[in-house]
Amino acid sequence: MSRQRLLIGTLVVSLLANAFFIGFAATRMLDEPDTKRQGGILRGVSHRLTKNLDEPARLQIAGALDAVTPQYEESLQARRENYSRLRGLLAASEPDRAAIDTVLGDMTEQSSGLVLAVHEEVIEAILELPANQRAQIADEN
C-alpha cells in the first residue's frame, strides 16, 4: 500500500470519527431536558450537592431551580452588557483602569448573587426531601 493511500485512508477515518462524535454530542444536547442544559452556574452548583441523589430527587430539585430562571436570564443579559462595556474600555486608546475595575466588580457581584440564589433554592429543596434521601448526599461516591 502506498504512503499516499495510507494517509488518505487515515484522513477519511479521522473525518468519520469526528463526524460521529460531533453528532453524538449534538444528539445528547438536544435530548437532555432544558433543566439539564440550563446555564453552567445552575448546573454546576446544584450538581455538587445533588450528584448522589436518585433521579426523582434530582428532578425535584431541578424543578425548584425554576424559581432562579428569571434571575439567571437577567444575569446572562447583564453579563453580555458587561462584556460589551469591558471590550469597549479595553479597546480605548487610553484604557480607564478604574472603569475596567468597576465593570469587573459588577460582574463578580452578579455572579456571586446568582450562585447564592442557586444555593438557597437547592438547599430549600433538599431540606424538603425525606431524611433517607437527604442521607444520600453525604455518600462519597
Side-chain angles (χ1 to χ4, degrees):
M1 185 181 242
S2 74
R3 181 178 172 166
Q4 185 178 13
R5 281 189 172 188
L6 182 62
L7 289 175
I8 290 173
T10 303
L11 176 62
V12 169
V13 169
S14 174
L15 290 173
L16 290 173
N18 284 328
F20 171 78
F21 287 115
I22 290 170
F24 177 75
T27 301
R28 281 201 54 176
M29 187 179 90
L30 294 173
D31 285 345
E32 289 181 355
D34 288 340
T35 55
K36 288 187 177 180
R37 283 199 320 260
Q38 199 171 31
I41 291 174
L42 299 184
R43 184 176 51 244
V45 170
S46 65
H47 176 73
R48 287 180 192 97
L49 292 172
T50 63
K51 65 182 177 183
N52 294 333
L53 293 175
D54 58 22
E55 187 66 17
R58 280 197 309 271
L59 289 175
Q60 181 177 339
I61 291 167
L65 286 175
D66 288 345
V68 184
T69 298
Q71 185 176 352
Y72 173 74
E73 290 170 355
E74 290 172 16
S75 176
L76 280 179
Q77 182 59 37
R79 186 179 317 145
R80 286 183 197 107
E81 292 168 6
N82 278 326
Y83 273 113
S84 178
R85 288 178 33 213
L86 189 58
R87 282 190 302 272
L89 291 168
L90 292 170
S93 58
E94 293 185 32
D96 180 352
R97 185 59 198 215
I100 291 169
D101 290 342
T102 299
V103 172
L104 291 174
D106 288 347
M107 293 169 81
T108 301
E109 186 177 316
Q110 289 166 354
S111 293
S112 296
L114 181 59
V115 169
L116 177 62
V118 170
H119 276 142
E120 289 172 347
E121 289 298 325
V122 169
I123 300 266
E124 286 301 315
I126 289 171
L127 290 175
E128 291 176 10
L129 294 173
N132 64 333
Q133 285 183 316
R134 287 194 321 274
Q136 296 171 6
I137 292 171
D139 291 342
E140 292 288 330
N141 294 336

